[in-house]
Amino acid sequence: MKKNLCTLSILLGISSFQLVAAEATSNTFQHDANVNFGTHSEDFGDGIWSLDYRFYFTPVDAQKGPYALAGFLAQHSNIGAMVAQPNTYNNTTMYAIDGAYVLPSNWFIGANYRYTDVDNKWDNISTTEGDNKGYGATIGYYFNEASEVAFIYDNNGSSSWNSEEWPQEITIANDYDETLYGAHIRTFIAMQSFSGLDLKASYNRIERQGEYISTLNNLTNASYNFESTSNQLNLTADWYINPAWSVGASYLWHDFDGSTHYISNNTSDESNRGSSDNIFALSTSYWWQISDTFAAKFSAAKQFGLNNDSGDDGIFIGISANARF
């Protein structure tokens, strides 16, 4: 089963980076390393493996709030790296590096770079090769000890080709460029009877454009240019019943408007399409302390409101092993 990019990002997000936490013996740590697996209940073996590591330049207090939020609540400068392997794409590998610097004035700046090497083959008939490169920058402000506001710029470019040898030789070249402008606000509210509430609201505007060229037996038979604009509003709330266990809910509004100019066999056509989706999700996660340094986390999320053609009707599952020291 081939996963689309949206599903890949969900699997990666549910299984890595901020989802795992652990308590060191001294209650502080500077090194955070994780082994993660994200998958889907409809095909458990068709998921993503990833490794990530983060170093904090100042020791992080693991007892300041929920274990999974230790990095966010620390508000310390850090640098991290990740490598991921999607099982659904034979030899595709994703790499990422990012970091953030926190100024004494509580302003912070961040940067990231990503690279995906695509190399897939199916039954020695179809081959896809290419690369995907992206970079981004963030500027934000911590307006109290548990809250931040940030503005984000992100650019992503891809160049790939697909070749099929049967029943005829068909080659498809695809290039696109994608730019994201975003902002978010996040706050953690400590509670007396429970650990607290983690609330986040974000807005993203994504502009995408590119071209597609198809050749049949080394002759161009079709091409089109496309461009689109997407607007996304995402609201999430996670209730931490205790420092280890949370349940959450989220709402995503996605508005899409796109156009294509298609040319084939000396004929041309232009089309426009748009859509608007409202997607809801329920989630839960549990953190388990195995020893003073090692921990494990289990996460699950169920989406509602998906169109049959835009996602899987099942449960996303994340399993992680963590070491903090």
Side-chain angles (χ1 to χ4, degrees):
M1 176 176 62
K2 301 178 184 178
K3 298 277 193 262
N4 56 37
L5 292 179
C6 178
T7 301
L8 289 178
S9 66
I10 293 173
L11 291 177
L12 198 59
I14 199 173
S15 64
S16 62
F17 285 101
Q18 297 179 355
L19 287 183
V20 187
E23 176 187 356
T25 303
S26 63
N27 295 330
T28 64
F29 65 90
Q30 287 185 265
H31 306 271
D32 188 348
N34 303 287
V35 179
N36 316 289
F37 179 64
T39 188
H40 194 275
S41 60
E42 290 192 349
D43 194 341
F44 191 84
D46 214 7
I48 294 180
W49 286 96
S50 66
L51 304 173
D52 66 78
Y53 168 79
R54 187 163 303 279
F55 174 75
Y56 293 90
F57 292 91
T58 304
V60 174
D61 183 1
Q63 296 290 310
K64 192 174 182 179
Y67 303 115
L69 303 184
F72 167 68
L73 295 174
Q75 301 181 355
H76 295 333
S77 299
N78 63 85
I79 187 170
M82 183 201 71
V83 59
Q85 174 72 57
N87 289 354
T88 49
Y89 294 83
N90 296 343
N91 296 312
T92 294
T93 307
M94 307 173 183
Y95 306 92
I97 184 170
D98 71 284
Y101 177 70
V102 182
L103 285 72
S105 60
N106 288 337
W107 286 90
F108 63 91
I109 55 176
N112 68 80
Y113 177 78
R114 308 170 307 279
Y115 175 75
T116 302
D117 180 27
V118 181
D119 184 10
N120 307 320
K121 293 183 179 180
W122 290 280
D123 299 327
N124 295 320
I125 295 175
S126 178
T127 301
T128 300
E129 294 184 4
D131 57 53
N132 186 304
K133 300 177 182 179
Y135 60 89
T138 302
I139 182 169
Y141 180 73
Y142 295 117
F143 54 89
N144 62 37
E145 293 184 351
S147 305
E148 72 175 33
V149 60
F151 301 91
I152 302 165
Y153 171 82
D154 208 83
N155 181 269
N156 196 65
S158 177
S159 177
S160 64
W161 64 272
N162 176 266
S163 176
E164 297 186 6
E165 301 177 359
W166 185 89
Q168 300 182 78
E169 184 178 349
I170 302 174
T171 301
I172 299 172
N174 186 16
D175 293 278
Y176 77 85
D177 184 78
E178 182 179 271
T179 303
L180 178 148
Y181 305 92
H184 74 250
I185 184 170
R186 183 179 183 181
T187 186
F188 176 73
I189 303 172
M191 304 173 68
Q192 185 174 2
S193 301
F194 303 96
S195 188
L197 283 173
D198 181 27
L199 306 175
K200 183 177 180 180
S202 65
Y203 168 77
N204 294 321
R205 177 180 174 85
I206 304 170
E207 299 175 353
R208 191 179 190 217
Q209 59 183 0
E211 63 178 356
Y212 162 108
I213 299 175
S214 173
T215 61
L216 177 63
N217 295 328
N218 297 318
L219 297 176
T220 300
N221 70 318
S223 66
Y224 71 82
N225 297 321
F226 60 90
E227 59 181 23
S228 66
T229 300
S230 296
N231 293 284
Q232 299 176 346
L233 175 65
N234 194 17
L235 306 174
T236 63
D238 289 298
W239 174 37
Y240 284 86
I241 301 169
N242 55 48
W245 180 30
S246 70
V247 293
S250 67
Y251 166 73
L252 172 66
W253 171 76
H254 178 240
D255 182 72
F256 173 86
D257 184 21
S259 63
T260 61
H261 179 71
Y262 181 77
I263 301 174
S264 178
N265 298 324
N266 298 321
T267 62
S268 63
D269 180 60
E270 292 189 7
S271 63
N272 298 279
R273 64 186 183 93
S275 63
S276 182
D277 297 299
N278 295 277
I279 301 172
F280 302 87
L282 296 176
S283 62
T284 186
S285 64
Y286 184 78
W287 176 86
W288 175 35
Q289 179 71 53
I290 300 173
S291 68
D292 291 338
T293 302
F294 299 101
K297 181 165 182 178
F298 308 91
S299 303
K302 169 64 177 177
Q303 290 185 315
F304 304 90
L306 287 172
N307 184 287
N308 290 334
D309 296 329
S310 62
D312 296 307
D313 184 19
I315 298 174
F316 291 101
I317 301 168
I319 304 170
S320 302
N322 170 268
R324 284 184 168 179
F325 51 95

